[in-house]
């Protein structure tokens, strides 16, 4: 199973709402990633979790709060978002992160988020 | 400054033709270079990964090359099919002691016409 699943597929939320995006993988990967992708732009790295600990935060605003409850799950909690946060949010996983070895990243299908 | 630049920005070719996409990178210290295919509204799918010691790697009709001296990579698509229409993204990873830096190119939007 080389699949990364994301829910929901689409999400529309108001600027005062609180919502969460979920990501799951069962490949035994120990690194998980959140990316944000605007239309016709490449993905931008937001967070990296390695062995369930946050290892990289690319200066993401605090209205985005990641959580890694266990090695298979990754959440992104959203609160007080702005319309410019509307984008495709991609989750990815890899066997590991950092170190000398190179591991393939597997991406989920993404959650299309619209902030109204 | 770590950068990945791709060319052309967009490309239209006829079905059955070959094409080559280019990628220049300045990520340092260099660890690996990846090519992804991304269909509209979907997550990227890995095509190839190459470290500095690898010059070429193939995945079916996709062949990637890497010149670590000139910091250039190319992705060659042979006998294109309509399903090859997608964005192709070059990604370079720089490796530091405690983390890695992943830099995405802006992608090449490829359209295959029948």
């Amino acid at each position: 199973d080389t699949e990364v699943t994301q829910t929901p597929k689409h999400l529309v939320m108001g600027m005062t709402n609180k919502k969460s995006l979920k990501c799951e993988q069962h490949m035994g990967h120990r690194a998980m990633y959140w990316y944000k992708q605007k239309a016709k732009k490449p993905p931008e790295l937001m967070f990296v979790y390695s062995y369930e600990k946050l290892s990289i935060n690319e200066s993401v605003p605090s209205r985005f709060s990641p959580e890694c409850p266990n090695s298979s799950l990754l959440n992104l909690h959203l609160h007080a978002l702005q319309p410019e946060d509307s984008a495709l949010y991609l989750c990815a996983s890899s066997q590991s992160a950092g170190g000398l070895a190179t591991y393939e990243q597997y991406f989920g299908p993404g959650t299309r988020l619209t902030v109204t | 400054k770590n950068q990945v630049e791709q060319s052309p920005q967009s490309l239209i070719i006829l079905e059955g033709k070959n094409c080559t996409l280019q990628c220049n990178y300045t990520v340092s210290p260099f660890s690996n270079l990846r090519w992804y295919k991304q269909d509209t509204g979907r997550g990227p799918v890995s095509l190839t990964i190459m470290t500095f010691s690898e010059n070429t790697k193939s995945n079916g009709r996709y062949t990637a090359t890497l010149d670590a001296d000139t910091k250039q990579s190319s992705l060659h698509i042979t006998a294109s099919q309509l399903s090859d229409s997608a964005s192709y993204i070059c990604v370079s990873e720089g490796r530091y002691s405690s983390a890695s830096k992943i830099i995405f190119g802006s992608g090449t939007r490829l359209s295959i016409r029948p």
Side-chain angles (χ1 to χ4, degrees):
Chain A
D1 181 9
T2 58
E3 190 179 21
V4 176
T5 59
Q6 290 187 244
T7 55
K9 289 186 179 179
H10 302 276
L11 178 62
V12 179
M13 60 185 290
M15 289 188 285
T16 58
N17 292 157
K18 284 185 181 181
K19 296 287 184 182
S20 296
L21 309 185
K22 296 185 184 301
C23 174
E24 191 167 2
Q25 57 86 15
H26 295 289
M27 294 177 276
H29 290 174
R30 302 314 300 268
M32 297 186 77
Y33 311 75
W34 278 117
Y35 290 87
K36 171 184 177 181
Q37 186 175 25
K38 304 284 276 185
K40 299 185 180 180
K41 296 289 187 181
E44 299 173 27
L45 183 65
M46 299 174 72
F47 303 104
V48 180
Y49 271 83
S50 180
Y51 292 86
E52 300 160 50
K53 290 187 178 0
L54 183 64
S55 62
I56 295 178
N57 176 342
E58 292 284 3
S59 303
V60 179
S62 60
R63 56 186 185 269
F64 295 93
S65 175
E67 178 197 18
C68 189
N70 60 57
S71 60
S72 299
L73 294 173
L74 185 66
N75 298 322
L76 186 62
H77 302 298
L78 314 172
H79 174 55
L81 294 193
Q82 303 296 311
E84 59 264 30
D85 295 322
S86 298
L88 181 69
Y89 287 84
L90 294 164
C91 173
S93 72
S94 65
Q95 192 169 337
S96 185
L100 297 177
T102 296
Y103 298 106
E104 186 169 340
Q105 267 192 8
Y106 294 85
F107 283 82
T111 292
R112 174 71 60 188
L113 174 67
T114 303
V115 181
T116 60
Chain B
K1 181 180 177 184
N2 292 324
Q3 282 187 310
V4 176
E5 296 181 351
Q6 292 187 243
S7 63
Q9 205 170 23
S10 62
L11 181 63
I12 301 173
I13 64 172
L14 292 176
E15 184 180 11
K17 298 296 186 182
N18 304 336
C19 66
T20 300
L21 314 180
Q22 302 290 344
C23 174
N24 295 337
Y25 64 93
T26 58
V27 172
S28 180
F30 175 75
S31 172
N32 61 78
L33 188 128
R34 307 159 186 247
W35 282 95
Y36 288 90
K37 176 186 178 186
Q38 185 175 23
D39 294 311
T40 302
R42 307 287 296 178
V45 174
S46 178
L47 296 176
T48 63
I49 303 174
M50 289 180 292
T51 62
F52 71 92
S53 61
E54 297 174 290
N55 301 120
T56 185
K57 184 165 280 190
S58 292
N59 178 358
R61 293 179 296 102
Y62 302 101
T63 299
T65 65
L66 176 66
D67 186 332
D69 292 330
T70 61
K71 298 189 189 319
Q72 295 179 326
S73 177
S74 66
L75 180 70
H76 186 74
I77 304 174
T78 304
S80 61
Q81 300 176 357
L82 296 177
S83 59
D84 292 332
S85 294
S87 286
Y88 290 84
I89 305 173
C90 175
V91 180
S92 185
E93 182 175 9
R95 192 60 60 80
Y96 305 92
S97 58
S98 59
S100 58
K101 188 72 173 177
I102 300 171
I103 308 295
F104 282 72
S106 297
T108 292
R109 297 179 66 84
L110 177 64
S111 297
I112 310 298
R113 298 289 165 84

